[in-house]
Amino acid sequence: MSDTTRRRPLIAIAGLGIEASTFSPARTEAPAFHPMRGSEIFDRYAAFLGEGTELRRAADWHPALVGKALPGGTATAAAFATLSDEIVERLRAMPPLDGLWYDIHGAMTVEGLADAEAVLLRRIREAVGPDVLISTTMDLHGNVSRELAHQSDLITCYRMAPHEDAEETKERGVRNLVERLQNGAGRPLKAWVPIPVLLPGEKTSTRIEPAKSVYAQVSDAAAQPGVLDAAIWVGYAWADEPRNRAVAVVTGDDEAAVGAQAERLARAFWEAGPAFDFVAPVGSLAETLDAAIESDKRPYFISDSGDNPTAGGAGDVTWTLARLLEDPRVLDTQRVAIYASIPGPDAVATAVEAGVGATVTVTAGAAVDDVHEGPVTFTGVVDGIRHGDRDAEIEVVIRVGGVRIIVTKLRKPYHLERDFTGLGLDPRNADIVVVKIGYLEPELYDMAAGWMMALTPGGVDQDLVRLGHDRIRRPMLPFDAPDFDPDLHARFIAPSNEPLTGPDE
Ligand SMILES: [Zn+2]
């Protein structure tokens, strides 16, 4: 390390990120990762690696490839092979490296593979050699297997959900890497503690208890003498691999402090387990509709949460829409209901051709995810047409009785008021607004006088137990009775340049 203290360290950047449900039949191909190369990568991280920034000047940076996809289905084996081959080729072409920043989400599932981010990191290690110091930064909804903790020298994740500290976290991971290389401190100790709890993000917002208090302890743990960084991963609930669960990891140079802080965080999370609950009242779709119709709060929002496209749902599950179209209370023209949304390219073409005011019969949805219900057919009046949306391309509103159904050419999340008003809809004066979403995004939350989350089926079903996980480790909450006492002692994971020892767990 003596030479790296005299010159600027040479650091590569690589990573792939997606949150991918294994309970959705959707598949993700390589272009969906929008792979960035060279200077595009500096643009992505301009806040702390842009031209002239302190960290940019502190090292000689070599961006390889970084790809980030929107949440969706499992990545295809071909997509993973193409992107990881390119990462490895680019790294092999680089001069000898001192460090590598591995920026991932941590919930990438790949056809035929388990623990994809660790598999990729092992390939990266083979390309760059055992002496390179690797800093891994992640989403707190990612998963940290023993192997990923072993291959990484530094590892951390966000401390906030929603992820307001995403850039800050990446910067911290990069800064710690640069400093370790500059001061020649080498590899820190790593204490890893698996926590047998698997929770959806809708129960673990750090804006509310108990996650608020649990996560408040992370920065305190990281500030202890002899500790470099500290993190708790909630894990990703909608994939079925042995790594899916919560984990705490603390890194640093003082063995006692590192171990004690890792155990403290793991115990805090475990003990809060029974208190983690949904951020909104929940019920079956029928219960949420009953509540909305009986309530005098307007507008009343219902989250169609099982098919939330921004958590990994296909976004085209028709189950909820089919139930709404069967319900005379929803079809009653005395009420104004809005349904956002269902993809149906043929339905959109039919509506566009017929024009506003025409009556059309169309079929939409279930092109990707038809596990719970097939495509739905309905007859209604075309109320609005809009061209040019970045995600949807074309959106139409078809009114069936009292319900205005938004049909899109391509899938699109409806998170903003203007997503509705731009279509001539007035959600503030609607009775019921049903949206494919989990917790309401801020603009919808502000609009909603009443709100319930419907536990609907889909690739990101909030009722985890009925999904049928069978590869996760057991016992695990909430899949087993809470009458077991987990081993929450700190496991010190071998440095990346030594073999991984100890039981596979
Ligand atoms: Zn996340």
Side-chain angles (χ1 to χ4, degrees):
M1 280 296 172
S2 58
D3 60 331
T4 57
T5 59
R6 272 178 261 115
R7 61 169 173 81
R8 294 200 310 169
L10 213 130
I11 305 177
I13 307 172
L16 294 177
I18 184 175
E19 197 166 28
S21 169
T22 56
F23 298 100
S24 159
R27 288 291 176 271
T28 302
E29 299 291 350
F33 284 85
H34 305 291
M36 298 173 282
R37 302 162 179 96
S39 61
E40 291 172 314
I41 294 175
F42 289 125
D43 295 343
R44 167 66 186 78
Y45 303 119
F48 53 92
L49 278 184
E51 198 80 59
T53 56
E54 179 207 341
L55 282 171
R56 177 73 171 270
R57 290 196 312 266
D60 186 0
W61 295 95
H62 289 256
L65 182 149
V66 174
K68 295 294 173 78
L70 289 174
T74 299
T76 63
F80 180 72
T82 302
L83 294 168
S84 43
D85 284 354
E86 184 177 341
I87 288 174
V88 167
E89 271 167 39
R90 286 176 175 272
L91 292 171
R92 283 194 197 283
M94 288 177 187
L97 297 168
D98 301 299
L100 184 139
W101 172 31
Y102 190 46
D103 187 38
I104 59 176
H105 179 290
M108 174 165 64
T109 49
V110 176
E111 290 171 338
L113 263 191
D115 205 6
E117 287 88 347
V119 170
L120 174 56
L121 189 50
R122 210 176 305 129
R123 288 196 62 194
I124 287 173
R125 276 271 173 218
E126 285 162 17
V128 302
D131 296 332
V132 172
L133 216 61
I134 296 184
S135 178
T136 301
T137 56
M138 300 175 67
D139 188 303
L140 63 81
H141 298 117
N143 310 289
V144 184
S145 64
R146 270 175 95 235
E147 180 66 17
L148 185 65
H150 177 232
Q151 296 286 342
S152 304
D153 298 301
L154 293 81
I155 188 163
T156 195
C157 71
Y158 309 151
R159 297 170 182 173
M160 297 173 83
H163 308 315
E164 295 161 62
D165 65 333
E167 296 302 300
E168 187 186 322
T169 301
K170 293 174 199 294
E171 179 173 358
R172 184 176 68 244
V174 169
R175 185 176 301 281
N176 283 340
L177 174 63
V178 169
E179 287 177 2
R180 296 295 290 194
L181 289 169
Q182 284 173 336
N183 66 23
R187 295 179 157 82
L189 297 166
K190 297 172 286 194
W192 173 86
V193 188
I195 311 161
V197 179
L198 191 57
L199 291 164
E202 280 69 12
K203 286 186 176 176
T204 48
S205 167
T206 60
R207 286 181 178 167
I208 57 166
E209 295 300 346
K212 190 176 177 184
S213 299
V214 172
Y215 272 86
Q217 298 186 48
V218 177
S219 51
D220 183 67
Q224 298 301 312
V227 172
L228 178 64
D229 206 340
I232 306 172
W233 285 258
V234 168
Y236 183 65
W238 296 291
D240 187 17
E241 293 185 20
R243 67 176 183 166
N244 290 91
R245 60 182 153 180
V247 161
V249 180
V250 172
T251 52
D253 298 300
D254 181 318
E255 186 172 338
V258 167
Q261 295 306 320
E263 289 176 4
R264 166 197 177 186
L265 295 181
R267 187 145 296 282
F269 193 93
W270 169 255
E271 283 171 358
F276 286 110
D277 207 350
F278 287 113
V279 295
V282 297
S284 65
L285 179 65
E287 286 165 348
T288 62
L289 283 171
D290 289 348
I293 285 161
E294 281 159 26
S295 172
D296 55 6
K297 292 177 179 158
R298 292 294 182 261
Y300 201 104
F301 275 68
I302 295 174
S303 295
D304 178 6
S305 65
D307 188 33
N308 174 11
T310 48
D316 80 339
V317 174
T318 54
W319 186 89
T320 299
L321 179 58
R323 300 292 84 71
L324 297 179
L325 290 169
E326 290 165 358
D327 192 325
R329 301 172 304 171
V330 176
L331 295 174
D332 184 346
T333 53
Q334 298 301 305
R335 286 199 182 83
V336 174
I338 297 173
Y339 184 74
S341 58
I342 195 78
D346 295 342
V348 166
T350 302
V352 169
E353 200 187 317
V356 171
T359 297
V360 292
T361 297
V362 297
T363 299
V368 177
D369 191 339
D370 62 356
V371 173
H372 311 281
E373 186 92 23
V376 286
T377 299
F378 48 92
T379 299
V381 177
V382 181
D383 256 5
I385 297 173
R386 179 167 65 171
H387 293 266
D389 183 78
R390 195 175 52 138
D391 298 311
E393 292 186 8
I394 311 173
E395 305 154 272
V396 303
V397 179
I398 299 177
R399 176 165 43 90
V400 182
V403 60
R404 282 81 175 154
I405 302 164
I406 301 175
V407 188
T408 59
K409 185 178 170 195
L410 301 172
R411 76 174 183 154
K412 162 185 164 74
Y414 284 76
H415 288 179
L416 305 173
E417 187 168 1
R418 68 167 183 271
D419 293 335
F420 295 86
T421 55
L423 283 162
L425 296 168
D426 183 8
R428 285 184 186 273
N429 288 305
D431 295 296
I432 301 170
V433 183
V434 184
V435 187
K436 285 190 187 291
I437 199 167
Y439 47 66
L440 292 184
E441 291 294 316
E443 286 193 21
L444 304 187
Y445 185 82
D446 290 344
M447 248 194 286
W451 171 33
M452 278 188 87
M453 209 156 63
L455 299 176
T456 51
V460 293
D461 195 327
Q462 297 282 340
D463 186 350
L464 297 182
V465 175
R466 73 179 174 192
L467 273 172
H469 290 77
D470 55 31
R471 299 181 59 212
I472 54 170
R473 293 170 194 273
R474 306 294 285 268
M476 177 90 70
L477 296 184
F479 303 88
D480 297 289
D483 58 359
F484 62 99
D485 197 14
D487 176 0
L488 298 177
H489 85 272
R491 285 76 154 166
F492 281 90
I493 304 289
S496 58
N497 56 348
E498 293 173 19
L500 180 60
T501 53
D504 178 29
E505 58 177 343

